[in-house]
């Protein structure tokens, strides 16, 4: 039964790491990256639809992103959604392809983005710690109910802490990589 707690905890923490990677992927670092459009939703026939489900998104050159809609009639809707999004870049449209030229980041903007990465990192560390707390509560509840012996509960709590430390370390490594990516020229 205690094994179930560890398996569930690992699954939950893995999902948290994947969510952090997704979050970091949407933060631009001065280079064109299709994932920077992952949060952009287009009102397509009344349904908020991700850009990558409506168009082919590719990097044409180092800092130019091209969006080629499969339905040419949706090009203006896609352009409008990108313009109104928080990516802060104005798209250009030639009638069949939307281009986004990703400008070089200023030092001030790099620092702002690094702070945003740091803040996201802290949020995800809190999620990991909350998962730890929930697992610990469950273990203590099982011990109190007599489902776990005291020494088994102690080992289970130690394992939960070990897993938590590993995931926090992974978040710190991902954060460090993203900050380095943002701050590099």
């Amino acid at each position: 039964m205690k094994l179930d707690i560890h398996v569930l905890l690992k699954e939950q923490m893995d999902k948290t790491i994947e969510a952090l990677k997704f979050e970091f992927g949407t933060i631009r670092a001065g280079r064109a990256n299709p994932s920077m459009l992952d949060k952009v939703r287009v009102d397509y026939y009344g349904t908020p639809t991700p850009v990558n489900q409506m168009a082919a998104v590719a990097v044409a050159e180092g800092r130019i992103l091209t969006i080629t809609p499969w339905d040419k009639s949706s090009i203006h809707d896609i352009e409008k959604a990108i313009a109104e999004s928080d990516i802060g870049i104005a798209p250009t449209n030639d009638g069949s392809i939307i281009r986004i030229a990703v400008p070089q980041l200023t030092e001030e903007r790099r620092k702002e983005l690094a702070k945003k990465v740091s803040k996201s990192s802290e949020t995800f560390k809190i999620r990991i710690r909350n998962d730890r707390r929930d697992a610990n509560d469950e273990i203590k509840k099982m011990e109190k109910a007599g489902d776990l012996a005291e020494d088994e509960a102690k080992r289970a709590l130690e394992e939960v802490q070990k897993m938590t430390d590993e995931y926090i370390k992974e978040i710190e490594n991902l954060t460090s990589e993203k900050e380095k990516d943002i701050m590099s020229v």
Side-chain angles (χ1 to χ4, degrees), residues 120-175:
S120 289
S121 174
E122 282 307 312
T123 301
F124 283 90
K125 284 180 186 179
I126 290 168
R127 285 167 111 175
I128 292 288
R129 291 182 190 117
N130 287 341
D131 293 340
R132 173 190 61 194
R133 183 198 61 224
D134 294 344
N136 286 346
D137 289 349
E138 189 64 30
I139 291 168
K140 289 173 186 172
K141 192 167 83 177
M142 290 170 65
E143 179 185 15
K144 190 173 184 179
D147 295 336
L148 276 179
E150 186 178 334
D151 57 335
E152 287 178 314
K154 185 177 181 197
R155 275 195 298 275
L157 291 170
E158 288 170 358
E159 181 63 28
V160 166
Q161 185 58 49
K162 183 179 169 196
M163 285 175 64
T164 301
D165 293 342
E166 289 171 6
Y167 280 91
I168 294 289
K169 181 76 173 153
E170 186 172 352
I171 288 174
E172 289 170 352
N173 290 339
L174 291 168
T175 301

Side-chain angles (χ1 to χ4, degrees), residues 52-92:
N52 62 5
Q53 290 182 13
M54 299 178 61
V57 181
V59 177
E61 298 169 24
R63 293 209 312 256
I64 297 180
L65 204 57
T66 60
I67 299 107
T68 309
W70 294 307
D71 176 2
K72 298 295 181 199
S73 68
S74 66
I75 196 163
H76 295 292
D77 294 331
I78 294 171
E79 184 180 26
K80 180 181 176 197
I82 293 168
E84 292 174 352
S85 73
D86 67 351
I87 64 171
I89 304 171
T92 58

Side-chain angles (χ1 to χ4, degrees), residues 3-21:
L3 183 61
D4 291 342
I5 291 172
H6 290 112
V7 170
L8 292 173
L9 180 62
K10 182 175 179 1
E11 287 175 5
Q12 191 64 34
M13 289 183 172
D14 283 342
K15 287 178 186 175
T16 300
I17 294 296
E18 287 307 309
L20 176 68
K21 288 178 180 177

Side-chain angles (χ1 to χ4, degrees), residues 23-75:
E23 179 78 20
F24 282 178
T26 63
I27 299 173
R28 68 183 178 98
R31 287 180 289 282
N33 183 345
S35 65
M36 60 195 276
L37 297 176
D38 285 352
K39 288 185 176 179
V40 177
R41 300 286 184 260
V42 181
D43 184 22
Y44 190 61
Y45 296 108
T47 305
T49 308
V51 172
N52 62 5
Q53 290 182 13
M54 299 178 61
V57 181
V59 177
E61 298 169 24
R63 293 209 312 256
I64 297 180
L65 204 57
T66 60
I67 299 107
T68 309
W70 294 307
D71 176 2
K72 298 295 181 199
S73 68
S74 66
I75 196 163

